[in-house]
Amino acid sequence: MKRSTEANDPYVARDLAHVWHPCTQMKDHEQLPMVPIRRGSGVWLEDFAGNRYLDAISSWWVNLFGHANRRINAAITRQLESLEHVILAGFTHKPVIALSEALTKLAPGLTRCFYADNGSSAVEVALKMSFHAWRNAGHTAKRRFITLTNSYHGETLGALAVGDVELYKSTYKPLLMDVITVPSPDCYERETGESWAEHSRRKFAHMEAALAEHAHEVAAVIVEPLVQCAGNMRMYDPVYLRLLRDACNRHRVHLIADEIAVGFGRTGTMFACEQAGIQPDFLCLSKGLTGGYLPLSVVLTTEAIYAAFYDEYVKLNAFLHSHSYTGNPLACAAALASLAIFREDEIIERNRALAAHMGARARELESHPHVAEVRQTGMIVAVELVRNRTTREPYDWRERRGLRIYKHGLERGVLLRPIGNVVYFMPPYVITPEEIDLMVEVAREGIEIATCD
Ligand code: PMP
């Protein structure tokens, strides 16, 4: 039965008259429904016509503990009564102090927190800080960055430059700094019979060679630990990060871990770097930092980096970078409430059963004639669709097969948002096994419809 959406119409009309939506060809909305949401609760979003949508992608990977979470709501409300915002230069407040204490405890060895207000800005901070730390130490030649193919680090010009998703990057190339791009350890590309660890280790040879050749002019290597999320949810083995940490030490290059998407439990541990037992020089966090409530990001770094900037003012060695809403108290209060839920409800342990169930259900799609691979890292599961399963010939992107799945999901009440030909599940951690079953079933139907011709 087709769902009624009439009550949405007035909001859609007003929206389309003025709102320019992110990452969208607005002409698509001549065909594609715009969905105005009036409320959320747990994993569910509800539109003005009363239709519900299971948020299988955590609203762009931010939401951890459901929409309108009672505990996070209460924390923000409490904070709102005393202080909504204050400049963070020269002034401070309790939530930012407590959050910095909590984060540095979770990331041993990283003792300093520099705040911004979105993921891309955190990446800009890490890039500038790395370059500037070397410069302050007299190494002015170190001003380039090494990145992986298929990586994504955000949309601002610096973050875009160190990313490698053609769709977002190619138009703006004339504006971007030049980077050194090394083949990704992406395990979708492994040989038959090769393990993730063997493949990731083999691919490391490219990184080692790039470091050997360029270390003198390189400030940092930037990676998304374990999962290249925007790059089609491609995954790799922790051994790569261990080798990378060791090589960065040997070649005297910083390591920036962009855990903006994978941090806060997505890969099965609080931070993905834990699975490799490594400590980066810069750890970028955002998205799930506030449980998906408010824009906030942070770059954690070491005492050594901090010390490289600590000097007499007149030497002009300070890191003079700021954003108006840096360290916003409401966002910090949400982040503290989210971390309390992690502790009190033992989320990392509890997620193991959820991840096992989600993986098992999704792997039932493996036998589909147009599925090349079902892969999983913790609470992230991805299904790679192809035209030909034997040769792994991909579908032409112009066919927009993923969009058919998205549309089917909306009709069946599940918000799936395939990236190209990859359907993925990255739900809030409050999802139930029954809701996982529904999410995977609707994806299966969508895949059937999208691949039938
Ligand atoms: N880095 C990674 C790994 C991301 O996935 C994203 C967002 N998808 C960003 C950076 C950029 O974050 P934001 O969208 O908040 O600028």
Side-chain angles (χ1 to χ4, degrees):
M1 201 181 66
K2 208 150 174 65
R3 299 171 137 210
S4 158
T5 54
E6 235 167 71
N8 290 338
D9 292 350
Y11 298 97
V12 174
R14 283 166 61 192
D15 176 283
L16 292 179
H18 297 293
V19 183
W20 189 344
H21 289 261
C23 205
T24 299
Q25 171 47 265
M26 291 302 294
K27 193 170 194 302
D28 275 359
H29 284 294
E30 289 177 10
Q31 315 291 335
L32 198 64
M34 172 62 65
V35 189
I37 293 299
R38 80 170 155 195
R39 70 171 135 236
S41 171
V43 295
W44 293 97
L45 297 164
E46 186 184 310
D47 70 16
F48 283 81
N51 300 306
R52 300 208 308 158
Y53 307 86
L54 193 163
D55 188 354
I57 60 158
S58 298
S59 286
W60 256 340
W61 321 337
V62 299
N63 191 290
L64 299 186
F65 301 118
H67 296 279
N69 180 286
R70 199 174 37 76
R71 286 142 87 181
I72 304 178
N73 285 1
I76 296 172
T77 310
R78 255 196 321 275
Q79 181 56 40
L80 199 49
E81 278 159 13
S82 57
L83 179 68
E84 81 302 334
H85 187 63
V86 64
I87 179 173
L88 197 66
F91 286 71
T92 191
H93 52 84
K94 245 164 77 177
V96 82
I97 296 169
L99 181 60
S100 307
E101 288 168 349
L103 290 171
T104 51
K105 261 200 203 99
L106 286 173
L110 301 179
T111 53
R112 301 285 168 175
C113 300
F114 191 98
Y115 290 88
D117 46 23
N118 63 74
S120 304
S121 299
V123 169
E124 302 286 345
V125 165
L127 298 174
K128 283 175 71 179
M129 226 182 228
S130 168
F131 159 78
H132 198 163
W134 287 119
R135 189 176 182 277
N136 283 354
H139 301 282
T140 48
K142 287 169 95 61
R143 53 195 173 81
R144 298 187 74 191
F145 297 96
I146 298 182
T147 183
L148 295 174
T149 53
N150 192 44
S151 55
Y152 180 88
H153 297 288
E155 301 293 350
T156 54
L157 294 178
L160 197 59
V162 292
D164 185 51
V165 177
E166 276 303 301
L167 180 62
Y168 307 129
K169 185 170 180 176
S170 60
T171 308
Y172 303 102
K173 270 200 182 132
L175 305 182
L176 303 178
M177 69 177 159
D178 179 38
V179 297
I180 299 157
T181 309
V182 168
S184 158
D186 171 8
C187 286
Y188 181 67
E189 291 174 356
R190 71 195 184 282
E191 304 287 332
T192 336
E194 197 178 29
S195 71
W196 280 30
E198 286 162 349
H199 175 79
S200 302
R201 192 180 279 280
R202 180 162 63 77
K203 284 290 179 167
F204 189 76
H206 297 287
M207 180 63 81
E208 183 67 49
L211 281 165
E213 186 184 346
H214 295 287
H216 64 283
E217 53 169 346
V218 168
V221 175
I222 181 166
V223 292
E224 294 158 273
L226 302 189
V227 188
Q228 296 186 308
C229 292
N232 292 339
M233 297 289 164
R234 295 292 176 83
M235 301 174 182
Y236 60 92
D237 191 90
V239 71
Y240 191 88
L241 297 174
R242 271 199 294 282
L243 294 170
L244 181 58
R245 177 68 278 181
D246 173 63
C248 285
N249 288 347
R250 276 188 285 109
H251 292 287
R252 303 200 63 218
V253 164
H254 294 144
L255 174 57
I256 303 172
D258 174 355
E259 295 218 19
I260 287 159
V262 296
F264 299 102
R266 292 287 182 200
T267 66
T269 44
M270 195 59 164
F271 300 123
C273 283
E274 290 169 30
Q275 295 184 40
I278 63 146
Q279 177 206 300
D281 299 288
F282 301 92
L283 175 63
C284 302
L285 303 171
S286 187
K287 292 192 184 276
L289 172 60
T290 61
Y293 261 69
L294 287 161
L296 181 70
S297 63
V298 61
V299 178
L300 279 91
T301 190
T302 61
E303 212 52 28
I305 298 288
Y306 182 74
F309 293 84
Y310 200 89
D311 210 340
E312 302 304 328
Y313 183 81
V314 291
K315 298 234 184 105
L316 293 179
N317 283 338
F319 190 60
L320 300 180
H321 181 112
S322 61
H323 299 283
S324 313
Y325 284 102
T326 286
N328 172 263
L330 297 171
C332 290
L336 284 165
S338 176
L339 290 181
I341 297 174
F342 268 108
R343 277 193 313 276
E344 291 160 16
D345 295 5
E346 301 183 331
I347 295 301
I348 298 294
E349 290 73 26
R350 268 191 23 196
N351 276 358
R352 287 202 191 109
L354 277 181
H357 184 70
M358 189 158 70
R361 293 313 310 260
R363 275 191 295 279
E364 291 169 14
L365 303 171
E366 254 168 4
S367 56
H368 190 280
H370 291 285
V371 169
E373 181 178 75
V374 177
R375 52 182 173 267
Q376 176 172 23
T377 299
M379 289 294 286
I380 307 173
V381 176
V383 182
E384 181 100 21
L385 302 182
V386 285
R387 175 176 295 288
N388 184 322
R389 193 177 148 97
T390 318
T391 61
R392 288 193 158 184
E393 180 201 347
Y395 282 114
D396 188 325
W397 64 271
R398 292 176 199 84
E399 295 171 14
R400 304 187 77 184
R401 304 239 169 200
L403 195 60
R404 302 186 203 174
I405 300 172
Y406 172 73
K407 281 185 185 162
H408 176 73
L410 290 188
E411 277 165 27
R412 289 276 281 123
V414 179
L415 167 49
L416 298 162
R417 202 171 188 277
I419 303 174
N421 296 318
V422 174
V423 185
Y424 70 91
F425 308 111
M426 208 200 274
Y429 305 155
V430 292
I431 196 167
T432 64
E434 295 71 32
E435 287 163 344
I436 288 176
D437 294 347
L438 171 70
M439 176 177 81
V440 177
E441 173 56 20
V442 170
R444 191 194 59 73
E445 295 165 5
I447 290 169
E448 213 54 70
I449 291 165
T451 61
C452 67
D453 58 347

